[in-house]
């Protein structure tokens, strides 16, 4: 799970580096700018949550991603 907008990196860079080590790793992006963002991560699985988000929604989504659904 990574925020898209960060001071020195962005979430897409973090996801790319993580997937270099772990191909197919599920990625969850969070952002306050969801209406202005597209995810350049062409591999599934990934999901983008706009801030604020409900904790239960995040938990359910992560659970499903880890279960491969």
């Amino acid at each position: 799970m990574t925020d898209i907008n960060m001071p020195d990196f962005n979430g897409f860079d973090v996801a790319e580096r993580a997937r270099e080590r772990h191909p197919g790793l599920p990625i969850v992006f969070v952002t306050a700018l969801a209406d202005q963002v597209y995810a350049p991560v062409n591999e599934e699985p990934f999901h983008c949550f706009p801030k604020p988000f409900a904790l239960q929604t995040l938990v359910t989504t992560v659970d499903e991603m880890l279960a491969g659904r």
Side-chain angles (χ1 to χ4, degrees), residues 13-67:
D13 293 335
V14 171
E16 182 179 340
R17 289 180 183 189
R19 285 200 173 154
E20 285 174 0
R21 290 184 170 193
H22 306 282
L25 179 70
I27 303 290
V28 176
F29 295 108
V30 294
T31 183
L33 305 171
D35 60 335
Q36 301 174 19
V37 173
Y38 80 98
V41 178
N42 295 323
E43 302 171 32
E44 294 290 335
F46 77 89
H47 198 284
C48 186
F49 280 97
K51 293 180 193 176
F53 52 85
L55 180 58
Q56 188 56 50
T57 303
L58 174 64
V59 169
T60 300
T61 300
V62 169
D63 184 49
E64 291 173 355
M65 291 175 80
L66 293 174

Side-chain angles (χ1 to χ4, degrees), residues 1-15 29-31 33 51:
M1 180 174 175
T2 182
D3 199 319
I4 291 174
N5 298 308
M6 297 182 287
D8 296 321
F9 287 98
N10 67 51
F12 303 129
D13 293 335
V14 171
F29 295 108
V30 294
T31 183
L33 305 171
K51 293 180 193 176

